[in-house]
Amino acid sequence: MSNSLSESVSQPSQEMKYGEREIAEGKLITFPNPRVGRRYNIDITLPEFTCKCPFSGYPDFATIHITYIPDQQVVELKALKLYINSYRDRYISHEESANQILDDFVAACDPLEITLKADFAPRGNVHTVIEVHHKKQ
C-alpha cells in the first residue's frame, strides 16, 4: 500500500521553499533606538552560522557573537537571522565572513561601537576565532 504523504515528502521539489525565499530576499532591517543617548550593550549570539570553505568546499560551522552599542538604529533580530542564514551556501573564508558581516551590520545600523566574534568549530585539529571591531568616529 502506498503512503502518499511519504511519497510527496521524499520526492525533491524544484520549487523554492518559503524559508529559502525569505533567506534569499533577506536583508538587515533596523528600527529606531528607543533610548537614543543612553549607552547600553546589545549582545546577540547566533550559534548556527554556516558557510563553505572557498578552497575545499567543506562546510564550516561557527557561533557568531555580536555586542554593540546602538546609536539611532537597532537591528531587527529575525532579519539578522535570515541574513546570517544567507551565508550557508557561500564560499567564503573565516576572516572574510567575519569582516563582511561586520561591514554589513555597520552599514545597516551605524552603531556607536560593535565587536563581532566568529568562533569556528574545530576542523582538522584547528580552531579559529576571528574578532573584528568598529567604533564610530
Side-chain angles (χ1 to χ4, degrees), residues 74-101:
V74 175
V75 73
E76 197 275 324
L77 295 177
K78 181 178 179 187
L80 177 60
K81 173 188 78 168
L82 295 171
Y83 165 81
I84 288 296
N85 286 341
S86 74
Y87 281 81
R88 178 183 61 203
D89 293 323
R90 202 180 295 186
Y91 295 95
I92 188 167
S93 69
H94 298 171
E95 298 79 6
E96 181 58 19
S97 62
N99 279 284
Q100 187 61 60
I101 294 167

PDB file of all heavy atoms in Angstrom, residues 74-101:
ATOM      1  N   VAL A  74      18.497  50.135  15.794  1.00  0.00           N
ATOM      2  CA  VAL A  74      18.724  48.817  16.379  1.00  0.00           C
ATOM      3  C   VAL A  74      18.384  47.792  15.309  1.00  0.00           C
ATOM      4  O   VAL A  74      17.427  47.971  14.542  1.00  0.00           O
ATOM      5  CB  VAL A  74      17.825  48.619  17.630  1.00  0.00           C
ATOM      6  CG1 VAL A  74      17.942  47.217  18.181  1.00  0.00           C
ATOM      7  CG2 VAL A  74      18.159  49.654  18.691  1.00  0.00           C
ATOM      8  N   VAL A  75      19.140  46.712  15.231  1.00  0.00           N
ATOM      9  CA  VAL A  75      18.890  45.691  14.212  1.00  0.00           C
ATOM     10  C   VAL A  75      17.698  44.824  14.628  1.00  0.00           C
ATOM     11  O   VAL A  75      17.514  44.508  15.807  1.00  0.00           O
ATOM     12  CB  VAL A  75      20.145  44.831  13.938  1.00  0.00           C
ATOM     13  CG1 VAL A  75      20.435  43.858  15.068  1.00  0.00           C
ATOM     14  CG2 VAL A  75      20.031  44.087  12.618  1.00  0.00           C
ATOM     15  N   GLU A  76      16.877  44.473  13.657  1.00  0.00           N
ATOM     16  CA  GLU A  76      15.721  43.596  13.891  1.00  0.00           C
ATOM     17  C   GLU A  76      16.221  42.159  13.855  1.00  0.00           C
ATOM     18  O   GLU A  76      16.938  41.765  12.931  1.00  0.00           O
ATOM     19  CB  GLU A  76      14.664  43.855  12.808  1.00  0.00           C
ATOM     20  CG  GLU A  76      13.286  43.331  13.138  1.00  0.00           C
ATOM     21  CD  GLU A  76      13.115  41.868  12.779  1.00  0.00           C
ATOM     22  OE1 GLU A  76      13.674  41.433  11.757  1.00  0.00           O
ATOM     23  OE2 GLU A  76      12.425  41.169  13.540  1.00  0.00           O
ATOM     24  N   LEU A  77      15.876  41.360  14.854  1.00  0.00           N
ATOM     25  CA  LEU A  77      16.508  40.048  15.044  1.00  0.00           C
ATOM     26  C   LEU A  77      16.126  39.015  13.992  1.00  0.00           C
ATOM     27  O   LEU A  77      16.972  38.231  13.564  1.00  0.00           O
ATOM     28  CB  LEU A  77      16.206  39.522  16.452  1.00  0.00           C
ATOM     29  CG  LEU A  77      16.818  40.357  17.583  1.00  0.00           C
ATOM     30  CD1 LEU A  77      16.407  39.789  18.932  1.00  0.00           C
ATOM     31  CD2 LEU A  77      18.322  40.441  17.459  1.00  0.00           C
ATOM     32  N   LYS A  78      14.882  38.980  13.538  1.00  0.00           N
ATOM     33  CA  LYS A  78      14.519  37.994  12.512  1.00  0.00           C
ATOM     34  C   LYS A  78      15.269  38.297  11.217  1.00  0.00           C
ATOM     35  O   LYS A  78      15.758  37.394  10.547  1.00  0.00           O
ATOM     36  CB  LYS A  78      13.012  37.979  12.254  1.00  0.00           C
ATOM     37  CG  LYS A  78      12.645  36.938  11.202  1.00  0.00           C
ATOM     38  CD  LYS A  78      11.164  36.859  10.939  1.00  0.00           C
ATOM     39  CE  LYS A  78      10.888  35.813   9.874  1.00  0.00           C
ATOM     40  NZ  LYS A  78       9.491  35.800   9.462  1.00  0.00           N
ATOM     41  N   ALA A  79      15.380  39.563  10.880  1.00  0.00           N
ATOM     42  CA  ALA A  79      16.121  39.951   9.672  1.00  0.00           C
ATOM     43  C   ALA A  79      17.589  39.544   9.799  1.00  0.00           C
ATOM     44  O   ALA A  79      18.198  39.075   8.835  1.00  0.00           O
ATOM     45  CB  ALA A  79      15.996  41.452   9.426  1.00  0.00           C
ATOM     46  N   LEU A  80      18.152  39.712  10.993  1.00  0.00           N
ATOM     47  CA  LEU A  80      19.544  39.308  11.226  1.00  0.00           C
ATOM     48  C   LEU A  80      19.685  37.797  11.049  1.00  0.00           C
ATOM     49  O   LEU A  80      20.630  37.329  10.420  1.00  0.00           O
ATOM     50  CB  LEU A  80      19.999  39.730  12.618  1.00  0.00           C
ATOM     51  CG  LEU A  80      21.408  39.317  13.027  1.00  0.00           C
ATOM     52  CD1 LEU A  80      22.465  39.892  12.084  1.00  0.00           C
ATOM     53  CD2 LEU A  80      21.677  39.739  14.468  1.00  0.00           C
ATOM     54  N   LYS A  81      18.748  37.035  11.585  1.00  0.00           N
ATOM     55  CA  LYS A  81      18.785  35.568  11.453  1.00  0.00           C
ATOM     56  C   LYS A  81      18.760  35.168   9.974  1.00  0.00           C
ATOM     57  O   LYS A  81      19.559  34.336   9.532  1.00  0.00           O
ATOM     58  CB  LYS A  81      17.583  34.946  12.164  1.00  0.00           C
ATOM     59  CG  LYS A  81      17.443  33.451  11.942  1.00  0.00           C
ATOM     60  CD  LYS A  81      16.157  32.911  12.503  1.00  0.00           C
ATOM     61  CE  LYS A  81      15.013  33.226  11.583  1.00  0.00           C
ATOM     62  NZ  LYS A  81      13.778  32.527  11.890  1.00  0.00           N
ATOM     63  N   LEU A  82      17.873  35.772   9.185  1.00  0.00           N
ATOM     64  CA  LEU A  82      17.783  35.436   7.763  1.00  0.00           C
ATOM     65  C   LEU A  82      19.058  35.848   7.027  1.00  0.00           C
ATOM     66  O   LEU A  82      19.563  35.117   6.172  1.00  0.00           O
ATOM     67  CB  LEU A  82      16.551  36.085   7.137  1.00  0.00           C
ATOM     68  CG  LEU A  82      15.219  35.570   7.664  1.00  0.00           C
ATOM     69  CD1 LEU A  82      14.069  36.434   7.146  1.00  0.00           C
ATOM     70  CD2 LEU A  82      14.999  34.117   7.316  1.00  0.00           C
ATOM     71  N   TYR A  83      19.593  37.019   7.364  1.00  0.00           N
ATOM     72  CA  TYR A  83      20.843  37.478   6.760  1.00  0.00           C
ATOM     73  C   TYR A  83      21.973  36.486   7.054  1.00  0.00           C
ATOM     74  O   TYR A  83      22.714  36.088   6.158  1.00  0.00           O
ATOM     75  CB  TYR A  83      21.194  38.877   7.277  1.00  0.00           C
ATOM     76  CG  TYR A  83      22.610  39.274   6.986  1.00  0.00           C
ATOM     77  CD1 TYR A  83      22.970  39.756   5.727  1.00  0.00           C
ATOM     78  CD2 TYR A  83      23.607  39.147   7.956  1.00  0.00           C
ATOM     79  CE1 TYR A  83      24.291  40.093   5.448  1.00  0.00           C
ATOM     80  CE2 TYR A  83      24.915  39.485   7.683  1.00  0.00           C
ATOM     81  CZ  TYR A  83      25.256  39.953   6.433  1.00  0.00           C
ATOM     82  OH  TYR A  83      26.559  40.274   6.150  1.00  0.00           O
ATOM     83  N   ILE A  84      22.105  36.064   8.304  1.00  0.00           N
ATOM     84  CA  ILE A  84      23.160  35.112   8.684  1.00  0.00           C
ATOM     85  C   ILE A  84      22.977  33.800   7.927  1.00  0.00           C
ATOM     86  O   ILE A  84      23.952  33.188   7.469  1.00  0.00           O
ATOM     87  CB  ILE A  84      23.173  34.896  10.214  1.00  0.00           C
ATOM     88  CG1 ILE A  84      23.732  36.142  10.919  1.00  0.00           C
ATOM     89  CG2 ILE A  84      23.957  33.653  10.599  1.00  0.00           C
ATOM     90  CD1 ILE A  84      25.184  36.473  10.606  1.00  0.00           C
ATOM     91  N   ASN A  85      21.730  33.356   7.764  1.00  0.00           N
ATOM     92  CA  ASN A  85      21.477  32.110   7.040  1.00  0.00           C
ATOM     93  C   ASN A  85      21.854  32.202   5.564  1.00  0.00           C
ATOM     94  O   ASN A  85      22.081  31.179   4.920  1.00  0.00           O
ATOM     95  CB  ASN A  85      20.015  31.691   7.183  1.00  0.00           C
ATOM     96  CG  ASN A  85      19.704  31.132   8.552  1.00  0.00           C
ATOM     97  OD1 ASN A  85      20.600  30.720   9.277  1.00  0.00           O
ATOM     98  ND2 ASN A  85      18.440  31.124   8.913  1.00  0.00           N
ATOM     99  N   SER A  86      21.959  33.406   5.032  1.00  0.00           N
ATOM    100  CA  SER A  86      22.315  33.563   3.611  1.00  0.00           C
ATOM    101  C   SER A  86      23.761  33.147   3.330  1.00  0.00           C
ATOM    102  O   SER A  86      24.145  32.965   2.179  1.00  0.00           O
ATOM    103  CB  SER A  86      22.093  35.010   3.157  1.00  0.00           C
ATOM    104  OG  SER A  86      23.098  35.873   3.664  1.00  0.00           O
ATOM    105  N   TYR A  87      24.554  32.958   4.352  1.00  0.00           N
ATOM    106  CA  TYR A  87      25.939  32.524   4.178  1.00  0.00           C
ATOM    107  C   TYR A  87      26.059  31.012   3.980  1.00  0.00           C
ATOM    108  O   TYR A  87      27.118  30.518   3.620  1.00  0.00           O
ATOM    109  CB  TYR A  87      26.790  32.939   5.385  1.00  0.00           C
ATOM    110  CG  TYR A  87      27.203  34.385   5.337  1.00  0.00           C
ATOM    111  CD1 TYR A  87      26.328  35.392   5.733  1.00  0.00           C
ATOM    112  CD2 TYR A  87      28.456  34.755   4.876  1.00  0.00           C
ATOM    113  CE1 TYR A  87      26.699  36.728   5.680  1.00  0.00           C
ATOM    114  CE2 TYR A  87      28.839  36.081   4.819  1.00  0.00           C
ATOM    115  CZ  TYR A  87      27.949  37.067   5.214  1.00  0.00           C
ATOM    116  OH  TYR A  87      28.320  38.384   5.155  1.00  0.00           O
ATOM    117  N   ARG A  88      24.993  30.283   4.201  1.00  0.00           N
ATOM    118  CA  ARG A  88      25.008  28.819   4.226  1.00  0.00           C
ATOM    119  C   ARG A  88      25.673  28.191   2.997  1.00  0.00           C
ATOM    120  O   ARG A  88      26.444  27.250   3.125  1.00  0.00           O
ATOM    121  CB  ARG A  88      23.567  28.306   4.350  1.00  0.00           C
ATOM    122  CG  ARG A  88      23.448  26.810   4.329  1.00  0.00           C
ATOM    123  CD  ARG A  88      22.007  26.386   4.394  1.00  0.00           C
ATOM    124  NE  ARG A  88      21.299  26.902   3.236  1.00  0.00           N
ATOM    125  CZ  ARG A  88      19.987  27.097   3.198  1.00  0.00           C
ATOM    126  NH1 ARG A  88      19.250  26.838   4.235  1.00  0.00           N
ATOM    127  NH2 ARG A  88      19.416  27.561   2.113  1.00  0.00           N
ATOM    128  N   ASP A  89      25.427  28.697   1.827  1.00  0.00           N
ATOM    129  CA  ASP A  89      25.984  28.118   0.601  1.00  0.00           C
ATOM    130  C   ASP A  89      27.062  28.993  -0.015  1.00  0.00           C
ATOM    131  O   ASP A  89      27.455  28.801  -1.159  1.00  0.00           O
ATOM    132  CB  ASP A  89      24.864  27.861  -0.411  1.00  0.00           C
ATOM    133  CG  ASP A  89      23.912  26.783   0.063  1.00  0.00           C
ATOM    134  OD1 ASP A  89      24.374  25.810   0.686  1.00  0.00           O
ATOM    135  OD2 ASP A  89      22.694  26.917  -0.178  1.00  0.00           O
ATOM    136  N   ARG A  90      27.559  29.961   0.735  1.00  0.00           N
ATOM    137  CA  ARG A  90      28.554  30.900   0.222  1.00  0.00           C
ATOM    138  C   ARG A  90      29.966  30.362   0.481  1.00  0.00           C
ATOM    139  O   ARG A  90      30.281  29.910   1.575  1.00  0.00           O
ATOM    140  CB  ARG A  90      28.378  32.246   0.934  1.00  0.00           C
ATOM    141  CG  ARG A  90      28.956  33.400   0.174  1.00  0.00           C
ATOM    142  CD  ARG A  90      28.772  34.712   0.890  1.00  0.00           C
ATOM    143  NE  ARG A  90      27.382  35.106   1.034  1.00  0.00           N
ATOM    144  CZ  ARG A  90      27.010  36.277   1.520  1.00  0.00           C
ATOM    145  NH1 ARG A  90      27.909  37.161   1.900  1.00  0.00           N
ATOM    146  NH2 ARG A  90      25.725  36.566   1.630  1.00  0.00           N
ATOM    147  N   TYR A  91      30.811  30.408  -0.532  1.00  0.00           N
ATOM    148  CA  TYR A  91      32.226  30.036  -0.385  1.00  0.00           C
ATOM    149  C   TYR A  91      32.962  31.275   0.108  1.00  0.00           C
ATOM    150  O   TYR A  91      33.155  32.232  -0.642  1.00  0.00           O
ATOM    151  CB  TYR A  91      32.804  29.563  -1.716  1.00  0.00           C
ATOM    152  CG  TYR A  91      32.167  28.287  -2.210  1.00  0.00           C
ATOM    153  CD1 TYR A  91      31.107  28.317  -3.106  1.00  0.00           C
ATOM    154  CD2 TYR A  91      32.605  27.045  -1.756  1.00  0.00           C
ATOM    155  CE1 TYR A  91      30.509  27.149  -3.549  1.00  0.00           C
ATOM    156  CE2 TYR A  91      32.017  25.868  -2.187  1.00  0.00           C
ATOM    157  CZ  TYR A  91      30.968  25.932  -3.092  1.00  0.00           C
ATOM    158  OH  TYR A  91      30.370  24.768  -3.517  1.00  0.00           O
ATOM    159  N   ILE A  92      33.359  31.254   1.385  1.00  0.00           N
ATOM    160  CA  ILE A  92      33.953  32.442   1.984  1.00  0.00           C
ATOM    161  C   ILE A  92      34.847  32.015   3.154  1.00  0.00           C
ATOM    162  O   ILE A  92      34.521  31.086   3.883  1.00  0.00           O
ATOM    163  CB  ILE A  92      32.845  33.430   2.437  1.00  0.00           C
ATOM    164  CG1 ILE A  92      33.408  34.769   2.880  1.00  0.00           C
ATOM    165  CG2 ILE A  92      31.929  32.810   3.476  1.00  0.00           C
ATOM    166  CD1 ILE A  92      32.341  35.863   3.043  1.00  0.00           C
ATOM    167  N   SER A  93      35.968  32.684   3.300  1.00  0.00           N
ATOM    168  CA  SER A  93      36.907  32.339   4.381  1.00  0.00           C
ATOM    169  C   SER A  93      36.355  32.803   5.724  1.00  0.00           C
ATOM    170  O   SER A  93      35.476  33.657   5.796  1.00  0.00           O
ATOM    171  CB  SER A  93      38.267  32.983   4.126  1.00  0.00           C
ATOM    172  OG  SER A  93      38.178  34.391   4.280  1.00  0.00           O
ATOM    173  N   HIS A  94      36.937  32.257   6.773  1.00  0.00           N
ATOM    174  CA  HIS A  94      36.563  32.674   8.128  1.00  0.00           C
ATOM    175  C   HIS A  94      36.769  34.174   8.291  1.00  0.00           C
ATOM    176  O   HIS A  94      35.902  34.887   8.803  1.00  0.00           O
ATOM    177  CB  HIS A  94      37.412  31.950   9.172  1.00  0.00           C
ATOM    178  CG  HIS A  94      37.241  30.464   9.178  1.00  0.00           C
ATOM    179  ND1 HIS A  94      38.061  29.650   9.930  1.00  0.00           N
ATOM    180  CD2 HIS A  94      36.366  29.635   8.550  1.00  0.00           C
ATOM    181  CE1 HIS A  94      37.698  28.391   9.773  1.00  0.00           C
ATOM    182  NE2 HIS A  94      36.682  28.354   8.931  1.00  0.00           N
ATOM    183  N   GLU A  95      37.934  34.628   7.848  1.00  0.00           N
ATOM    184  CA  GLU A  95      38.298  36.031   8.008  1.00  0.00           C
ATOM    185  C   GLU A  95      37.358  36.950   7.236  1.00  0.00           C
ATOM    186  O   GLU A  95      36.895  37.969   7.752  1.00  0.00           O
ATOM    187  CB  GLU A  95      39.750  36.249   7.543  1.00  0.00           C
ATOM    188  CG  GLU A  95      40.780  35.479   8.346  1.00  0.00           C
ATOM    189  CD  GLU A  95      40.911  33.995   7.970  1.00  0.00           C
ATOM    190  OE1 GLU A  95      40.285  33.533   6.990  1.00  0.00           O
ATOM    191  OE2 GLU A  95      41.655  33.288   8.678  1.00  0.00           O
ATOM    192  N   GLU A  96      37.070  36.586   5.996  1.00  0.00           N
ATOM    193  CA  GLU A  96      36.208  37.435   5.169  1.00  0.00           C
ATOM    194  C   GLU A  96      34.771  37.428   5.668  1.00  0.00           C
ATOM    195  O   GLU A  96      34.103  38.460   5.648  1.00  0.00           O
ATOM    196  CB  GLU A  96      36.268  37.004   3.702  1.00  0.00           C
ATOM    197  CG  GLU A  96      35.405  37.850   2.772  1.00  0.00           C
ATOM    198  CD  GLU A  96      35.723  39.348   2.776  1.00  0.00           C
ATOM    199  OE1 GLU A  96      36.828  39.744   3.206  1.00  0.00           O
ATOM    200  OE2 GLU A  96      34.863  40.127   2.341  1.00  0.00           O
ATOM    201  N   SER A  97      34.283  36.275   6.131  1.00  0.00           N
ATOM    202  CA  SER A  97      32.900  36.233   6.616  1.00  0.00           C
ATOM    203  C   SER A  97      32.733  37.144   7.830  1.00  0.00           C
ATOM    204  O   SER A  97      31.773  37.921   7.901  1.00  0.00           O
ATOM    205  CB  SER A  97      32.455  34.803   6.923  1.00  0.00           C
ATOM    206  OG  SER A  97      33.232  34.216   7.942  1.00  0.00           O
ATOM    207  N   ALA A  98      33.651  37.096   8.778  1.00  0.00           N
ATOM    208  CA  ALA A  98      33.551  37.957   9.961  1.00  0.00           C
ATOM    209  C   ALA A  98      33.595  39.435   9.568  1.00  0.00           C
ATOM    210  O   ALA A  98      32.787  40.239  10.049  1.00  0.00           O
ATOM    211  CB  ALA A  98      34.668  37.637  10.949  1.00  0.00           C
ATOM    212  N   ASN A  99      34.522  39.778   8.682  1.00  0.00           N
ATOM    213  CA  ASN A  99      34.636  41.176   8.257  1.00  0.00           C
ATOM    214  C   ASN A  99      33.438  41.638   7.445  1.00  0.00           C
ATOM    215  O   ASN A  99      32.974  42.769   7.596  1.00  0.00           O
ATOM    216  CB  ASN A  99      35.943  41.382   7.485  1.00  0.00           C
ATOM    217  CG  ASN A  99      37.115  41.557   8.417  1.00  0.00           C
ATOM    218  OD1 ASN A  99      37.289  42.606   9.010  1.00  0.00           O
ATOM    219  ND2 ASN A  99      37.903  40.509   8.580  1.00  0.00           N
ATOM    220  N   GLN A 100      32.893  40.770   6.589  1.00  0.00           N
ATOM    221  CA  GLN A 100      31.741  41.148   5.770  1.00  0.00           C
ATOM    222  C   GLN A 100      30.487  41.336   6.620  1.00  0.00           C
ATOM    223  O   GLN A 100      29.717  42.270   6.407  1.00  0.00           O
ATOM    224  CB  GLN A 100      31.474  40.103   4.682  1.00  0.00           C
ATOM    225  CG  GLN A 100      30.397  40.536   3.693  1.00  0.00           C
ATOM    226  CD  GLN A 100      30.793  41.795   2.951  1.00  0.00           C
ATOM    227  OE1 GLN A 100      31.806  41.821   2.268  1.00  0.00           O
ATOM    228  NE2 GLN A 100      30.010  42.855   3.091  1.00  0.00           N
ATOM    229  N   ILE A 101      30.283  40.446   7.584  1.00  0.00           N
ATOM    230  CA  ILE A 101      29.132  40.593   8.478  1.00  0.00           C
ATOM    231  C   ILE A 101      29.241  41.914   9.239  1.00  0.00           C
ATOM    232  O   ILE A 101      28.263  42.664   9.356  1.00  0.00           O
ATOM    233  CB  ILE A 101      29.020  39.393   9.441  1.00  0.00           C
ATOM    234  CG1 ILE A 101      28.697  38.109   8.656  1.00  0.00           C
ATOM    235  CG2 ILE A 101      27.956  39.653  10.503  1.00  0.00           C
ATOM    236  CD1 ILE A 101      28.886  36.824   9.462  1.00  0.00           C
TER     237      ILE A 101
END
